[in-house]
Amino acid sequence: MAKTTISRRTVLTLLAATGTATVVGCERTRRQAPAANVPIPDALVVDIADGLGLLRGDERQRFPGSLPAADGSVIHATAPDGGDTAFWRVDTATGRTSARITLPGRWLPQAVSASGTTVALTSDAVNVTDGRPEGRNATPLMIVDGNGVPRRLELPGNYVPETFTEDLTGLFVLEWLPPTSPDRYRVRVVDLATTQPGPLFTRDKGPVPVGAEEEMRGEGRQAVMAPDRSTLYTLYTHQPGHRHTRDLVSGRPGHVHAFVHTLHLTGRWAFCVDLPNPFGAAPGSGHAIAITPDGGRLVVVDATSGTAAEISTQDLTVRRTVRLPSGIGTAHAAADRARLFVGVGTTVRTMGLADLGPTGEWQVREPVTGLVPSPDGRRLYVGQTDSVSWHDPATGAELGRVPVPGLVTLRGLVAGA
């Protein structure tokens, strides 16, 4: 089976909403949907309070302890099985499930390859954007490949998996330091043949000199995968005293408060795009990142200060910054072929990608918890409190709404659905 971007979170149970399908194990029954429950036009993967939700037509499925591929094409699911863990995969376009395998011990999926085939599981629930792990001297990992073959690793030190190299021979991780009382971390790659962690390359494909690996103390806010699955971009904020590898090598001060960490999955190199002030000065939750469908541009938004920055993914530089109306709350951003959408509080704003100029603004019923444009550009899905609505992107007119109890955020579309 092939989120592109990645992430995290058995018996399948019904989402507590009317007009849904009930799924238990491999059995499925359908209730008669009331007339008011309009089927959702595009299949979506969402984060809910205790896992993932799959919204498809008038079906609502819930997967505790699960993690989707970046493009939503497959969900890696787990459930306790006595003292062990049952593991299986779900094809989100069809609902078909793989055979279950038993993993000795208790495990949760934390990182998935860009292809969606291979997953890394850990014994705890901490991932790259969820804060620091507890102190430990060793980190157990379980790797399950595309054929469902598990392999257990024990890494000396304190590691959190992030994603895999494109050829699936390496696992990118955050190494937390010091292991037993972590307060900072660095990005490394574990050779899965030898299980040895080592530094990444620089952007010019040279080895990082000893002592020049970046150590970060900030907050990983959000990550997006390039459409071609070659690169993972992660927005970091609040980096007190942080210095990039290039600054450590050159001796420049290089202190920044926010940047986009660029991780090339084929070349195994990393590069940080610094964001100018005021990025990183306000709470991290007020920041959001979006990538254009062609993969050519990233846009980072700081809703608190009312600033947006456009980054070229070709030369990895900030091309321009623009002002936008400020807002207080958690920020969300998404882009279609022509527009950037920014949501904060109960306000959704649109900006033209050509010049990042404002093109529209409208209100929704509850605070925004996610934005996802439809593939054809005719709908903008908006996560709200316990619901998902969809709107005309040009006017903001609500076209439909479905209940999603426990909704945390919209994760993305289901590829191929």
Side-chain angles (χ1 to χ4, degrees), residues 319-362:
R319 285 183 171 175
R320 58 184 166 182
T321 61
V322 299
R323 300 292 301 171
L324 68 156
S326 61
I328 302 299
T330 301
H332 299 272
D336 64 13
R337 291 181 177 84
R339 293 160 293 205
L340 173 72
F341 303 96
V342 178
V344 61
T346 58
T347 301
V348 177
R349 295 184 176 91
T350 61
M351 305 164 67
L353 283 180
D355 60 359
L356 292 184
T359 58
E361 177 180 316
W362 67 83

Side-chain angles (χ1 to χ4, degrees), residues 373-386:
S374 67
D376 60 10
R378 296 181 179 179
R379 294 169 296 282
L380 176 68
Y381 291 95
V382 180
Q384 297 176 62
T385 304
D386 293 333

Side-chain angles (χ1 to χ4, degrees), residues 252-313:
R252 294 176 303 205
H255 301 306
V256 296
H257 292 286
F259 60 81
V260 174
H261 187 267
T262 303
L263 186 60
H264 198 277
L265 308 188
T266 303
R268 301 190 182 201
W269 55 261
F271 184 82
C272 293
V273 183
D274 291 345
L275 294 167
N277 287 330
F279 288 96
S285 60
H287 294 67
I289 186 172
I291 190 166
T292 56
D294 64 4
R297 287 178 287 174
L298 294 164
V299 181
V300 179
V301 173
D302 173 13
T304 307
S305 70
T307 311
E310 179 188 290
I311 297 170
S312 165
T313 59

Side-chain angles (χ1 to χ4, degrees), residues 158-160 162 172-177 184-189 197-200 210-217 236 242 261:
N158 195 338
Y159 296 90
V160 175
E162 183 169 20
F172 294 105
V173 295
L174 299 189
E175 180 187 13
W176 282 84
L177 302 169
R184 64 191 186 277
Y185 50 89
R186 59 184 177 179
V187 181
R188 312 203 88 196
V189 61
L200 278 63
V210 175
E213 290 183 79
E214 299 174 36
E215 294 184 0
M216 296 179 275
R217 288 181 170 84
Y236 284 90
H242 175 73
H261 187 267

